[in-house]
Each structure stands twice: as C-alpha cells, then as structure tokens.
Amino acid sequence: MNRDLTRRRLLTNTLLAASGSALGSLATSRAYAAPADYKGELLVTLQLDGGVDVTAWCDPKVNTPGEPKINHWADEGVPQKARGIYYAPFADNDRFFKKYAKDMLVVNGVDAQTNAHGVGIMFNWSGR
C-alpha cells in the first residue's frame, strides 16, 4: 500500500481532524452548560461595534442647537430613566427598561487603550 502523502490524503486527514475537533468542543461546551432546571442568574455581555449607535439604547445623547442632528427621537422626546439607567425613548425601550432595569448593570465606554478599532475588537475580551 502506498503511504505517500498526496493532496487528496492531506485534505481528507485535515477534514477529519477538523471535524473531530469541532465535535470535541461541542461535547465540552455541553458539559459546561447549566442543567435544564437551572434558576440562577444569567450574565449577558454585548459588544456592539460597527454601525450600532449604543447611545440610542443607553446613555442617550440629545441634539445640540446649532450642531448637526445626531438623532431623530430627540426632536420630540427627552432621555428617560429607570432605576438610574438612562435610555432613549423610542422603540420598546420604555417597557424593556422598566421591566429589567432592576436586574441590570450598564457599563458604557470601556477604554481598551488601543489605537485602532480592529485591535480593540480583537482584544476586548482578553482580560488585559
């Protein structure tokens, strides 16, 4: 039997190794999942980057007379507050924040001390 490494054999072995690795990580992630009857706390972290205006959700900014308009809701409304968390009064924010504000901690503007958006996104959750 010819044991020489061929392109087909290399691709096949690579695919098998990658598949095994993916299945192994899936099994590992299920081992750390909470039991179906878990009733404890839930931590949700969001990194909103790109075209998302995070100030439209928490820590809203109003338009300044004489400056370019930064949002439309501020033409007719003012920021609202639920349990110390300011939010923009549009969409379903009012119901959402009144229901969940007591269970929330909002951290805005983490300074990752990077000099480029791509680097900040890559290292944001690194712990450094």
Side-chain angles (χ1 to χ4, degrees):
M1 181 174 178
N2 186 355
R3 292 279 205 191
D4 293 336
L5 186 62
T6 63
R7 182 172 49 187
R8 177 171 289 183
R9 186 181 308 253
L10 176 67
L11 291 173
T12 301
N13 289 342
T14 303
L15 179 61
L16 289 172
S19 298
S21 176
L23 291 174
S25 71
L26 178 61
T28 302
S29 66
R30 288 179 187 225
Y32 292 110
D37 60 345
Y38 179 73
K39 304 287 187 217
E41 294 181 350
L42 171 67
L43 172 65
V44 177
T45 58
L46 303 173
Q47 177 176 326
L48 304 175
D49 49 65
V52 178
D53 179 9
V54 296
T55 65
W57 196 50
C58 292
D59 192 25
K61 307 296 186 234
V62 297
N63 297 326
T64 303
E67 297 289 325
K69 185 184 289 195
I70 58 174
N71 61 56
H72 296 287
W73 64 261
D75 291 338
E76 300 175 14
V78 296
Q80 301 295 305
K81 184 166 92 170
R83 297 191 180 238
I85 299 173
Y86 286 92
Y87 62 91
F90 72 93
D92 211 7
N93 281 356
D94 189 55
R95 183 177 66 83
F96 177 82
F97 282 96
K98 285 182 178 173
K99 182 174 181 179
Y100 295 109
K102 69 183 182 315
D103 299 316
M104 293 174 65
L105 169 66
V106 176
V107 178
N108 281 323
V110 174
D111 182 1
Q113 297 186 359
T114 61
N115 61 358
H117 290 286
V119 176
I121 292 166
M122 186 176 4
F123 292 110
N124 190 44
W125 300 108
S126 70
R128 286 206 58 183

